[in-house]
Amino acid sequence: MLKKVLNFALVAGLAATSVTTAFAQDAEKTGYAGAPRTMLWSTTPSTIMDTTQYKKDGPYVIGFSNASISNSWRVGMLASIQQAAHDNADQIKQMIITDANDDPAKQVSDVQDLISRGVDLLIVSAATAEALDAIVTRAYEAGIPVVLVDRRITSENFTTFITASDYVYGHMSAQWMVEKLGGKGNIVMLPGMAGVSVAVNRIAAANEVFANYPDIKVLDMQYTDWSPAKGKQVMAALIQKYGTDINGVWNDHGLQGSGAIEAMVEAGWTDLPPITCADLNGCVKLAVQNKEPAFNYDYPPAMGGLAVKVGLDILAGKPVPHQYEMSVDVAITKGDETTSVKADKWIEDYARLDKPNDLILSTGIPDYDPTTFSVEFPQ
Amino acid sequence: MTQSAQSQSQQSPVMDIVRNYGIHLVLAVLIVVTAILSPAFLTANNISNMLLQAAPLGIVVIGQVPVILVRGLDLSVASVMATAAVVATCFSGQDTDALPVFIVAISIGLATGLVNGLLITKRNVSPFLATLATMTLLQGMRFAYTQGAPSGNVPPIYRVLGSQTFFGVPYNLMILVVLAAFFSILLHKTTYGRRVYLTGGNPVMARLVGIHADRITIASYVISGGLAALAGLIYSGFVGIVDNWVGRGFELDSIVAAVMGGVALSGGRGSIVGGLFGAAILVVVFNAVLMIGLPIEFQIIIKGAVIIVAAAFYVRKTI
Amino acid sequence: MTSVASIFTFLTKRRGGLLTVIGLIFVLTLFGVIVSDKFGTYSNAVNILEQSTPLAIVSLGQTLVIITGGIDLSIGSMVSLASVLLSGLTAGDPVMMYVAIVTILVLGGLVGIINAGASIYLRVHPLIVTLGTGAILQGITLLYTQTPIGKMPKGFDELAYGRVLGLPLGAVFTIVVFVVTAVFLRKVPLGRYIYATGDDAVGAQLMGLPRRKVLFVAYGFCGMMAAVASIFLVARLGAGQPYTGQNFTLTSITPVVVGGTLLSGGRGGVIGTLMGVYLVSLLNNLLNFLSLSTHYQLIVQGLIVIIAVSVYVENKRKV
């Protein structure tokens, strides 16, 4: 059993290496290349799923029910899945991809459609955890192996869940900011959207950390709809309201983060306060250009490709962990590491100064360009 | 005589003032209340911020007004804005391409307006559905073109126009003022303008005096499409990051602004200046709730309440 | 020959929208059967019926409002609020479930009545009123919960997935609602007044028809249907969520208009809406079978709407 876990960790670690070294330039910090951290650091035994019952000969029909491709991250995730389908075309007879356009009700229908088309494996990126629970449970109980990616369902009725943790983002980003400020200062929080799980989880985790430090004060929390423009508008208003009392800007994503940096620069600020970013080139790029201390922790779209690979393992009857958390590089601007939060990479190396601001990082596809990306795969 | 008509004829002087200056009262009350609650609200910088943010919405409203005057509405404006913004990033991202970007983006806007106008006049499709359909269509084409993730830089000159100020006065505000003046003159001082009001206010009369109502209507939608594209270009310069949702919410906000500003959805009544006051209310509300530090739930509720209250100040004959 | 021609003219003039929709349903089905052997199966047909339930119920409610010449843009927020209240109040308790269902039905009706009341007494266009109340309801929803909340008693999902005589329970319920509404509109005086009000509001009032009562009933019914739809949604989705109804605001209007009900009011009917719903659901299902990316799906949807609505000619138009 233990051997299997380690084997798996090794394979996954190798997969992660190819992902994480793509952007490495600095000899000192080339990014994390080891086995999945959550397994190494886990304080409880991992649940390993026996998949012998799903073992069958290929080529397979795989169904992927996507929540949407309404933003660049999700487009990158889809690209990563298509790339994996291309790379494993010898084992895949057909890859059916549906798209729910962010409508949970439509996604339930999509999964129903996929089941009725007799897929061998179901990959689901749920629009919301609760909405997809009933239908995915039905599929799972009917004997179809289920791989969840990015967003899970509420129950445990699935084979494996591929993710990176929102809580890790919240804890790490907040801890870094607290230590960067020496445990004392005023923070404004700019999350995405009220009532959306990514925002809810990341805010909750960050607040757990902030609450431990009596001299850290959250001045204000305002939602930005993950829009760079709204992030800029909100930050501009907060600058008028609080002025230079703002010592740190916590974002749950880089989209509004880039807008927030612009607002500070346009307000004439030169010594920019620490900021947290994720996923988006614009945020880290602006931080580097404006010499702003920054923390970046991606939620890698490459998890899409990993879902396909793990799915093929299931169909080959190999055991897989019930929850698989991808290792993510902590990137920090040079000289801004703190006691608890060390960098795997320098943001100066990680940011792509030559690429547009709207580029999504961490797709795992070398030189990924969303507008030109296209691969052949069995459809 | 119907009851509503009666009540209108029995207006007291107070009601008269409310009816004529309702929007100004609402705006004044908002400003005074916020200024009392938050000292940072009425500072030069914050006012400059609000004006900078008001311009894109204002430009869309200028286009929405003539459309509503001819008994229509344009739901495709946000989609046109996003498409124009995507176009802005599709070239080299250098100023040398500023003109081609402008030409392509504005052409898409004008063409969308033309399709809207033709569907509405020649095929008698309701404006709501026609513009909803072109909105969806344009969104699909934009997605198909960018494969979902727009990528590229906005030419620097648009960044200047969209986010810089000239001694505290935003460039985009200057554009707004020029456009507002031009289209106000167009609506109030030209034959075209008079025909717009007559076409929307009294279609039967318009037909009797030989106005080609179809042409007037089409022209209004073309103007709206073109201005939405321009607003999209300017908005793309506001942050320089373009996604597929630039301008989301502008379709309903622009209609709401116009109606709050006294432009009647039943056509033929209202002005651009009124619509711009409506836009000002939306921008002030957005800024005020931040300044006062209200949580998101109340921000949404207050916006909803302000919309209804402001619109209610215009007493109408029928709904 | 002439009689055939006159029947054709009659059909296209009087029932053109409906015929187009049924024709499109037929063509799409044929196309689907040719393209995929899994499309024309019984289980897929049942899927489509099952999936269409919430949209059908919401759109039936919307139909009545649109026949009065109004529109209800608060419907999406109403569905969201009702869904979180339903599962939040129930919290897994079968007894509380009945309390919760009654609560949301009453609330839905009440919100509808408030919408009607505000547009009657404040004399604000329903588009603006319901946009405002929609924002307020969304704010209240977020005040109540920002995360999915509560759960339903075991077996509640039978409502979404259960079968009656081999047909989905939801589809059977939809038919019942449809028949009741159709009979109400055609046979009950108050139902016929809905048409009269939408056709000519002033005229209807001059004739002494109870215009206010008509509006209260139409909007109240629409609000209540939003609550009913939320019951089926919660059964399908397992729990209420703060944004679950968002899409219904605009999607509920498309089937109504595609089905031949005019946004200007006074004409149309629920049979067209029902067919419109089936057309939209069929189209979504078929596009999945084609493995078309959403980008192209949007283009196809836009085109189908334009084709469907430009086939028949409206005699008058308004918002």
Side-chain angles (χ1 to χ4, degrees):
Chain A
M1 178 73 168
L2 183 67
K3 198 177 162 192
K4 277 179 179 165
V5 174
L6 286 178
N7 270 343
F8 182 83
L10 201 65
V11 172
L14 286 175
T17 318
S18 61
V19 171
T20 49
T21 49
F23 296 117
Q25 283 162 23
D26 190 290
E28 290 175 62
K29 301 274 187 190
T30 52
Y32 180 73
R37 278 171 165 161
T38 43
M39 295 192 87
L40 289 174
W41 293 348
S42 177
T43 52
T44 53
S46 301
T47 311
I48 301 294
M49 304 295 282
D50 177 20
T51 63
T52 44
Q53 54 167 320
Y54 302 123
K55 186 172 178 179
K56 60 166 86 169
D57 292 329
Y60 311 107
V61 177
I62 299 179
F64 171 46
S65 165
N66 199 2
S68 80
I69 41 174
S70 59
N71 60 54
S72 317
W73 188 91
R74 301 206 65 84
V75 172
M77 205 261 281
L78 179 66
S80 159
I81 286 206
Q82 291 169 335
Q83 180 73 46
H86 167 82
D87 295 342
N88 297 285
D90 52 330
Q91 296 183 66
I92 299 172
K93 186 165 86 185
Q94 195 187 9
M95 180 92 186
I96 310 169
I97 299 175
T98 65
D99 185 323
N101 213 356
D102 285 324
D103 180 355
K106 178 173 186 301
Q107 194 172 13
V108 172
S109 314
D110 289 349
V111 174
Q112 268 180 326
D113 291 348
L114 289 174
I115 297 170
S116 71
R117 292 173 75 178
V119 293
D120 298 313
L121 174 80
L122 194 57
I123 303 177
V124 179
S125 182
T128 63
E130 291 72 14
L132 271 293
D133 195 77
I135 188 71
V136 169
T137 299
R138 276 170 185 256
Y140 185 66
E141 284 172 354
I144 303 173
V146 176
V147 177
L148 301 179
V149 59
D150 165 36
R151 299 187 204 140
R152 57 171 288 162
I153 56 172
T154 29
S155 72
E156 301 297 327
N157 297 320
F158 55 86
T159 319
T160 181
F161 172 41
I162 316 276
T163 184
S165 171
D166 285 328
Y167 295 101
V168 172
Y169 178 89
H171 289 140
M172 297 268 267
S173 58
Q175 189 67 36
W176 173 80
M177 183 157 284
V178 167
E179 292 179 3
K180 188 71 203 142
L181 296 177
K184 189 175 182 327
N186 300 317
I187 292 169
V188 291
M189 297 176 76
L190 305 178
M193 214 168 161
V196 178
S197 66
V198 185
V200 172
N201 297 343
R202 291 182 176 203
I203 294 166
N207 277 332
E208 280 173 19
V209 173
F210 292 145
N212 289 331
Y213 297 87
D215 292 332
I216 290 286
K217 190 177 166 214
V218 176
L219 284 179
D220 212 332
M221 182 173 93
Q222 292 295 344
Y223 291 93
T224 58
D225 297 345
W226 287 300
S227 146
K230 196 160 179 210
K232 186 170 174 182
Q233 290 168 354
V234 169
M235 190 64 204
L238 295 180
I239 288 172
Q240 294 314 314
K241 189 174 175 190
Y242 300 107
T244 45
D245 285 347
I246 299 172
N247 305 121
V249 181
W250 182 88
N251 306 287
D252 68 357
H253 196 270
L255 277 166
Q256 68 269 33
S258 61
I261 299 178
E262 286 228 342
M264 292 187 278
V265 172
E266 274 167 28
W269 290 14
T270 45
D271 199 10
L272 301 188
I275 193 162
T276 61
C277 299
D279 298 350
L280 190 81
N281 191 31
C283 193
V284 282
K285 184 173 155 188
L286 284 167
V288 170
Q289 286 168 343
N290 294 291
K291 301 198 169 31
E292 178 171 25
F295 165 94
N296 184 83
Y297 187 87
D298 286 346
Y299 187 72
M303 67 181 67
L306 190 61
V308 175
K309 289 175 198 132
V310 174
L312 290 172
D313 283 347
I314 293 171
L315 291 170
K318 295 181 193 161
V320 296
H322 190 52
Q323 176 150 331
Y324 184 107
E325 297 199 11
M326 284 189 82
S327 298
V328 177
D329 280 340
V330 174
I332 298 176
T333 39
K334 281 179 183 166
D336 294 315
E337 285 182 316
T338 66
T339 319
S340 316
V341 186
K342 303 290 180 197
D344 297 310
K345 259 183 198 171
W346 300 122
I347 282 185
E348 283 83 349
D349 302 325
Y350 187 56
R352 298 293 304 264
L353 300 184
D354 57 324
K355 293 272 184 183
N357 288 343
D358 41 31
L359 182 74
I360 285 290
L361 306 163
S362 291
T363 51
I365 303 165
D367 265 323
Y368 167 70
D369 181 343
T371 38
T372 55
F373 175 80
S374 159
V375 284
E376 290 287 317
F377 64 94
Q379 298 199 39
Chain B
M1 188 182 264
T2 64
Q3 229 172 343
S4 43
Q6 270 171 14
S7 62
Q8 203 178 33
S9 63
Q10 290 166 357
Q11 274 160 20
S12 65
V14 176
M15 280 304 288
D16 224 32
I17 291 171
V18 166
R19 200 164 74 92
N20 289 325
Y21 299 103
I23 189 85
H24 309 91
L25 283 174
V26 173
L27 189 58
V29 169
L30 268 175
I31 291 174
V32 169
V33 170
T34 317
I36 292 170
L37 292 173
S38 168
F41 179 68
L42 277 188
T43 55
N45 279 335
N46 195 47
I47 293 169
S48 175
N49 271 344
M50 283 193 280
L51 292 174
L52 185 66
Q53 294 165 15
L57 178 61
I59 293 172
V60 177
V61 170
I62 293 176
Q64 194 73 260
V65 169
V67 167
I68 299 179
L69 284 176
V70 295
R71 302 190 170 188
L73 48 75
D74 190 347
L75 293 176
S76 67
V77 286
S79 210
V80 170
M81 279 180 79
T83 308
V86 164
V87 167
T89 63
C90 280
F91 291 77
S92 67
Q94 302 303 318
D95 276 346
T96 46
D97 277 335
L99 192 63
V101 162
F102 182 83
I103 291 169
V104 173
I106 300 294
S107 306
I108 290 174
L110 297 175
T112 309
L114 184 64
V115 172
N116 284 336
L118 287 174
L119 280 171
I120 290 157
T121 54
K122 304 300 178 197
R123 293 308 314 158
N124 281 335
V125 179
S126 78
F128 191 95
L129 207 62
T131 56
L132 189 71
T134 50
M135 173 188 101
T136 314
L137 203 63
L138 207 55
Q139 187 189 339
M141 299 202 295
R142 187 170 71 241
F143 272 51
Y145 179 72
T146 61
Q147 285 305 309
S151 186
N153 293 314
V154 179
I157 182 151
Y158 291 119
R159 299 295 332 262
V160 173
L161 291 178
S163 65
Q164 305 296 315
T165 59
F166 182 74
F167 292 109
V169 182
Y171 287 106
N172 65 13
L173 183 72
M174 298 179 199
I175 298 175
L176 174 70
V177 169
V178 171
L179 289 172
F182 176 80
F183 283 100
S184 284
I185 292 169
L186 190 70
L187 280 183
H188 296 293
K189 302 285 178 204
T190 66
T191 320
Y192 164 76
R194 282 191 292 279
R195 287 177 176 173
V196 166
Y197 280 95
L198 195 57
T199 302
N202 193 340
V204 179
M205 179 67 84
R207 202 165 40 243
L208 286 178
V209 299
I211 290 174
H212 293 284
D214 284 3
R215 286 186 205 166
I216 299 295
T217 303
I218 292 171
S220 299
Y221 282 91
V222 170
I223 289 173
S224 175
L227 286 175
L230 182 64
L233 285 180
I234 289 173
Y235 205 45
S236 75
F238 180 60
V239 276
I241 292 185
V242 169
D243 59 28
N244 271 312
W245 306 107
V246 170
R248 174 156 48 175
F250 272 55
E251 64 277 62
L252 293 179
D253 276 356
S254 61
I255 295 167
V256 163
V259 173
M260 284 198 299
V263 184
L265 282 168
S266 49
R269 262 185 306 147
S271 68
I272 283 172
V273 175
L276 290 178
F277 267 101
I281 286 195
L282 289 179
V283 174
V284 168
V285 167
F286 174 82
N287 189 275
V289 291
L290 288 177
M291 284 297 159
I292 301 169
L294 287 177
I296 181 78
E297 306 87 328
F298 291 102
Q299 295 181 12
I300 301 175
I301 291 174
I302 287 194
K303 184 174 172 187
V306 167
I307 289 170
I308 298 178
V309 170
F313 273 112
Y314 290 90
V315 181
R316 306 237 159 65
K317 211 170 82 199
T318 52
I319 56 165
Chain C
M1 203 53 197
T2 40
S3 65
V4 173
S6 65
I7 287 172
F8 183 76
T9 326
F10 171 79
L11 284 174
T12 44
K13 263 194 178 159
R14 302 300 295 270
R15 282 259 161 251
L18 188 58
L19 270 191
T20 318
V21 172
I22 294 174
L24 275 171
I25 289 181
F26 182 72
V27 171
L28 288 182
T29 311
L30 204 67
F31 181 70
V33 170
I34 295 168
V35 171
S36 165
D37 54 343
K38 292 266 167 59
F39 181 81
T41 58
Y42 173 73
S43 77
N44 192 46
V46 168
N47 263 357
I48 297 173
L49 286 177
E50 203 172 277
Q51 291 157 11
S52 61
T53 306
L55 179 63
I57 294 170
V58 170
S59 297
L60 286 173
Q62 187 74 270
T63 310
L64 259 64
V65 168
I66 292 181
I67 294 176
T68 68
I71 198 161
D72 187 348
L73 295 183
S74 70
I75 203 158
S77 303
M78 187 59 229
V79 170
S80 298
L81 179 60
S83 81
V84 292
L85 283 178
L86 174 59
S87 65
L89 292 177
T90 303
D93 181 348
V95 180
M96 277 308 289
M97 182 183 82
Y98 293 103
V99 178
I101 288 178
V102 172
T103 308
I104 60 167
L105 289 179
V106 171
L107 183 72
L110 210 62
V111 166
I113 287 170
I114 291 172
N115 280 337
S119 63
I120 293 169
Y121 296 108
L122 299 177
R123 298 199 187 96
V124 178
H125 194 284
L127 185 131
I128 299 294
V129 168
T130 55
L131 203 66
T133 49
I136 294 173
L137 292 174
Q138 186 65 55
I140 294 174
T141 308
L142 287 173
L143 264 184
Y144 180 66
T145 178
Q146 297 215 358
T147 51
I149 186 174
K151 64 173 201 246
M152 300 309 289
K154 225 174 159 45
F156 190 70
D157 65 342
E158 276 306 299
L159 211 53
Y161 299 103
R163 299 272 184 276
V164 181
L165 305 171
L167 282 174
L169 195 62
V172 174
F173 186 81
T174 305
I175 301 295
V176 171
V177 174
F178 159 70
V179 170
V180 170
T181 334
V183 169
F184 170 72
L185 282 176
R186 294 289 164 195
K187 302 289 176 204
V188 179
L190 193 63
R192 290 204 299 268
Y193 297 160
I194 292 183
Y195 282 97
T197 305
D199 201 33
D200 181 358
V202 179
Q205 207 160 18
L206 284 177
M207 284 170 61
L209 298 182
R211 178 170 158 272
R212 290 176 185 183
K213 193 169 161 193
V214 161
L215 292 181
F216 282 127
V217 167
Y219 283 86
F221 177 76
C222 185
M224 203 179 275
M225 285 304 111
V228 173
S230 82
I231 298 174
F232 282 92
L233 263 182
V234 170
R236 206 169 160 73
L237 305 181
Q241 301 170 43
Y243 292 109
T244 204
Q246 214 176 19
N247 288 324
F248 283 112
T249 301
L250 289 182
T251 52
S252 69
I253 295 165
T254 310
V256 178
V257 182
V258 166
T261 299
L262 300 190
L263 281 168
S264 47
R267 283 206 292 155
V270 280
I271 177 73
T273 300
L274 196 64
M275 290 302 140
V277 168
Y278 291 143
L279 176 66
V280 170
S281 305
L282 185 74
L283 186 63
N284 280 336
N285 180 271
L286 180 64
L287 289 170
N288 275 345
F289 274 86
L290 294 181
S291 296
L292 264 185
S293 96
T294 330
H295 312 144
Y296 302 102
Q297 294 194 13
L298 289 169
I299 297 179
V300 175
Q301 277 171 5
L303 285 177
I304 295 249
V305 169
I306 290 177
I307 293 168
V309 292
S310 33
V311 168
Y312 54 88
V313 177
E314 298 182 8
N315 285 335
K316 59 174 192 168
R317 58 170 189 267
K318 224 163 56 181
V319 167

